[in-house]
Each structure stands twice: as C-alpha cells, then as structure tokens.
Amino acid sequence: MPIKSPERTRTAPPATPRFLLPSLVLAVLGYQINATMLSPALPDVARRLDTSSSLVGLSQTLFFLLAAVGQVTMARLSDYRGRKPVMLLCGALLILGNLACALAPDITVYLAGRILQGVSAAMFSLAFLTLNDLLPPAAFGRAAGIISAVNGGFAGIDAIVGGRLADTVGFRAIFLGGLLLSVVGTAAVARYVPAVAPKAAGAMDWLGATLLALGLSGVLIGLAQGAGWGWTSAATLGCVLGGLAALTAFVLVQRARSGGTGTPDPHEASGPATGGTGSRPATGTGTGSGSRPAARTTPVIDIRLLASRRAWPLLLTVTLTLAGAFGALALTIPLFTQDPHAGYGLSATRSALLYATPAAAIGVLGAPLAGYFGPRVGWRRVALAGSAGSLLAFAVAVPFRTEPWALFAALTVLGLTYNGISITALNGLAVVSAPKDQQGALTGLTGACFGIGASLGTALASGLITAAGTGGASGSALYTGAFVAALGALVLAMGAALAIKRVPAEDGEGAGRTEGAPAVHV
C-alpha cells in the first residue's frame, strides 16, 4: 500500500471545484464537434476545395486514425509529464488544426489540419485521468458520466446543425465554431484545472510508442480502405500485415522494457512511482528508495499488465462492442432505412431523426446514470449490464428489422445501453483497473480500441453488404450478413466482458482520487 504523506498533501495545488468539470467539458467539446458535426458537410468540403470524394474520405480516415494513436501516446506521456501540460499541448494542436481547416486553400492543408485535430482526441482520456486524480469515487463517477455524454455529441442535433451550416454558410463555419470552443476550452484548462504531480518516474518509451503508432496506423488504414482497394490487394495486405508486424515488434520491445518493472497483477503494485515529500516525483528515485536509475526507459505498457484479465478482456470488450454497435448505427442502419428496395426508403434527414437522433439523445441520459452507479455497485457490473442490454436490444433488432416500430424501439434501447452505459462504464473501468503509474497506458489503449472497433465494424458491414449485392441477394437479405455480424460481435463482447477480472474491493472499483491529490467535490 502507498504511504500517506501529509507533506505532499499540503503542497498539492489548490483546486477550483466550481469550474473544474465545466473546463474539461469545454476542452473535450472543442474536439468532439470536429468528429460529429462534419459528417453531413463532407460533400461541401469536396466541392469548395475542388477535390475528390476519396481524398475527403482519406481525411476522415486520418482523423480517426490519429485519434487512436493520440489516445495512446498522449495519455501515456501524461503519466510522466502530468495531465495538465499534455492537455494544454492537445489544446494547442486542436487550435492549429481548426485554423488550418477553416482557412485551408486546398486539400493538402485541410488534411494537415485534420491530422492535428485527430491527435487532440486524447483530450477525452486526459479528462478521465484528471478527474480520477482529483475527485473522490462518487464524484468521479458522476463527472465521468458527463464527459462520456459529451463524447456522443449534442444528442444527435450536432449532425443536423452541421448539415444546415454546410448548406447555408459552408463547412468552414463548423471549424470556426470549433476554433472558438477550442480556444475557450484550452484557456479554461490553463486557468481552472489544477496541476497534479506526474504518476510515473523514468523516461517515455518513444521507440515503443512509434511501433505502436505504426502498428495501429497500418491495421486501421487497411481496415478503412480495404473495401475500396480490395481486401486481397497488395495495398490492403501490406498495410494490415505491416501493421501486425509493427505490433509484434512493439510487444517484443515492451517485454524487454518490462523486465524488472511492473507487476503481473496491477493491484499488487505498491502505488505510484513518486517521491514521498515533493509535488513531483524525482526522476530516478522510483518509489523513493533511489533504486531506479534516472535514465531508465519504462514501457508504454507493461506486458504483464496487458496479459492480465483486467486488461486484455477489457480491450477486447471495447473493440467488439464498437465493431457491433457502432458499425450498425453508423453504416448498416442508415443504408438499410434509406434503401427504397430493401429497407424503408426514407430520406437521409428522416432516417437520422427516427433512427439516429433518439439513440444519441437517450445516450446522453444513460451516461450520467452509469457514472452514478459505477462507484456504488462497481464499474465491472455496470459494464456487464451495458453489454447485456446492448446484446438483447440487437437480438430483437435483427429478426424484426423489417418492422419500423420494432427497429425504432430496439435502437432506442441500444442508445441507452451502448451510447450511455457501456461507453461510460468501460472508460471508468479502464481508469480504475490500471496501476497508478500506468493509468495513462491502459486508458489510452482503451481509447484506441474505440477507434479500432469502429473501423472494424464499418469495414465488416461494408464488405458484407457489398458481397451480398455481388452475390445476387435482394430485398432485406442484402443486409442480413451485416446485421448478423453485428449481433455476433455483441455476443463475443458479452463473453469478453464476463472474462474481465473484478477490481479488488479494498482498492475500490470507483477509486477515483490517488494518494496525495487534492479532493475536489462537484
């Protein structure tokens, strides 16, 4: 158990309870509107920049790709440098990205702006980690629910507003709005978010971070572009196999780095690698005994932690949940409901209002609910409830998908269980499951798995629908494979969730505040 240090508590920075959570909400909103408001405006981007739809599609791929990479690298970097400095760095990148996209004279500058915006997705992981550092368990749960609700956008209204702005003013108005939010959010973080001591000593493993970034990039680009390039093409296979090779090298490097550090079970760790009397750990002192060299490079994530049942089932649950639910909500359902021959033949606006907006809106209610119960009954139990609810909802949607009212009801429930409960609980579980000096690693990897699962789900759905059409399927049978695959992914996600090992009661599944950090009540 870590040793309590009155001296360290006294030197902790003062907290500002009234503005901590609003500041973090503004910071993540600055990123989020670039993910949710832009989709309806993509044709306007292609038209005004005089470019092809494929390059505009590439901009979306790069945005979500760099979001996955940024979640891992920036969150882990915050273990060494502190949450607040890295949040300010992400805010600066977001401001530059918004400026580049708003003023872009051509697609090249626009692509660069989207890359910078993507990296700033780490704002979400950093917000969860900051709240965990500063808040007691119950307050952490409530705040995490609010941040998760923001992750879903403005209850589906943002997409409608984005389309309206594109039709009247142009896509640049979306980025100007994002620029304003990002400036205000970054300024609020600088002013109102307390700086807390870094949790890890040693040096950032940049080799491991690079290998992980290359691995994720290869796999995600291959999944995202496979349908267009051809799943057996040299480009697709090169990306996927090259990515897997980089990930294999990453595992080998991390295994070498992990020798003599970390623990197989994260909760057997003795506590954060910090000194006992200062507000910042002395690099090279490790736990204060002077046994760790100052220049020691510690792993991005301890392989023994990754192999534990508190890590790999969690990451697998996130990936499979997103592959099933996101793939259906983002691709299969919109295509099916707008198809005049196989589905309902709705307009894009009516399809969104009936089968996307309600799910997003109820998710905003479900996220704080999950945040309330997470610290009280355990984040694992809440995650299991979310997985079970999502599975049951989609099990109804698949056989009754030809009935508009049944699909509407099923997707509304899915909005509560997936958009609200599952996403919040899985994020909360990632934060409390990791040892104190590796919280950024597991939280960042969890954030990356959201992107991997989303890419996998949309690629799988697109491939199955295309294959069914090529094979001569007609009517609702054209979408049967995509619906069944999504259901299968949710079945596997439920199994993976059951394999997650419970966080010991003595550590508290909602254990928010780390030793020596100021308690803040919201």
Side-chain angles (χ1 to χ4, degrees), residues 331-395:
L331 186 70
T332 306
I333 301 297
L335 290 177
F336 175 73
T337 55
Q338 294 176 52
D339 192 321
H341 305 292
Y344 308 154
L346 301 177
S347 66
T349 300
R350 193 173 181 189
S351 172
L353 287 174
L354 289 175
Y355 297 101
T357 302
I362 199 170
V364 173
L365 301 177
L369 187 67
Y372 175 82
F373 284 106
R376 289 163 175 80
V377 303
W379 289 104
R380 178 180 178 274
R381 291 189 182 97
V382 177
L384 286 172
S387 291
S390 298
L391 176 57
L392 290 174
F394 214 75

Side-chain angles (χ1 to χ4, degrees), residues 62 81 118 314-315 319 337 376 389 405 412 444 455 457 513:
L62 292 175
R81 301 298 184 187
L314 171 63
L315 300 176
T319 303
T337 55
R376 289 163 175 80
W405 65 268
T412 301
S455 297
R513 185 165 53 92

Side-chain angles (χ1 to χ4, degrees), residues 325 329 355-367 386 389-390 393-394 407-424:
L329 291 172
Y355 297 101
T357 302
I362 199 170
V364 173
L365 301 177
S390 298
F394 214 75
L407 184 61
F408 173 84
L411 293 182
T412 301
V413 173
L414 191 67
L416 175 66
T417 57
Y418 158 68
N419 281 341
I421 296 175
S422 285
I423 289 179
T424 303

Side-chain angles (χ1 to χ4, degrees), residues 2-15 133-134 194-197 274-280 513-520:
I3 299 173
K4 295 183 178 180
S5 173
E7 294 83 356
R8 187 170 170 226
T9 301
R10 285 197 299 267
T11 58
D133 288 341
L134 295 170
V196 178
T274 59
T277 59
S279 60
R280 179 185 177 112
R513 185 165 53 92
T514 55
E515 193 64 47
V520 181

Side-chain angles (χ1 to χ4, degrees), residues 1 153 167 179 195 209 230 387 410 422 442 463 483 521:
M1 294 295 292
D167 291 337
L179 175 63
S387 291
S422 285
L442 186 55
F483 273 101
H521 299 275

Side-chain angles (χ1 to χ4, degrees), residues 45-334:
V45 174
R47 183 171 61 256
R48 292 180 185 270
L49 294 182
D50 191 24
T51 189
S52 65
S53 59
S54 62
L55 284 177
V56 174
L58 177 62
S59 73
Q60 292 295 88
T61 299
L62 292 175
F63 175 78
F64 289 108
L65 167 62
L66 269 296
V69 173
Q71 293 270 23
V72 179
T73 54
M74 292 295 187
R76 184 53 171 154
L77 182 62
S78 75
D79 284 338
Y80 300 97
R81 301 298 184 187
R83 315 298 185 205
K84 183 173 180 176
V86 181
M87 286 193 77
L88 293 175
L89 173 60
C90 287
L93 294 176
L94 183 57
I95 291 170
L96 291 175
N98 278 317
L99 275 172
C101 290
L103 303 176
D106 52 44
I107 189 63
T108 303
V109 176
Y110 180 84
L111 287 172
R114 291 298 277 168
I115 288 172
L116 292 174
Q117 290 172 340
V119 175
S120 68
M123 280 287 196
F124 279 102
S125 293
L126 294 169
F128 284 117
L129 291 166
T130 299
L131 292 170
N132 180 70
D133 288 341
L134 295 170
L135 302 182
F140 167 68
R142 291 193 299 269
I146 292 172
I147 295 295
S148 291
V150 174
N151 194 19
F154 296 98
I157 299 174
D158 44 347
I160 298 173
V161 173
R164 182 63 178 167
L165 286 174
D167 291 337
T168 56
V169 183
F171 77 90
R172 298 182 194 276
I174 297 174
F175 292 113
L176 289 174
L179 175 63
L180 177 62
L181 264 179
S182 60
V183 169
V184 173
T186 303
V189 169
R191 175 65 179 85
Y192 296 114
V193 175
V196 178
K199 298 297 181 290
M204 176 77 173
D205 179 11
W206 289 110
L207 173 60
T210 301
L211 289 171
L212 182 59
L214 290 173
L216 290 175
S217 298
V219 172
L220 288 176
I221 289 176
L223 291 175
Q225 301 298 321
W229 292 346
W231 292 108
T232 59
S233 68
T236 301
L237 292 177
C239 283
V240 173
L241 294 179
L244 292 175
L247 290 176
T248 301
F250 167 76
V251 171
L252 296 176
V253 170
Q254 298 310 288
R255 182 173 295 172
R257 303 278 200 221
S258 299
T261 66
T263 58
D265 189 318
H267 286 274
E268 291 175 4
S270 60
T274 59
T277 59
S279 60
R280 179 185 177 112
T283 57
T285 59
T287 58
S289 63
S291 59
R292 181 179 293 178
R296 181 174 181 82
T297 299
T298 52
V300 174
I301 184 168
D302 194 313
I303 290 300
R304 289 171 291 182
L305 166 63
L306 194 60
S308 75
R309 280 181 49 207
R310 295 201 188 96
W312 70 261
L314 171 63
L315 300 176
L316 190 58
T317 300
V318 171
T319 303
L320 291 170
T321 298
L322 268 290
F326 183 88
L329 291 172
L331 186 70
T332 306
I333 301 297

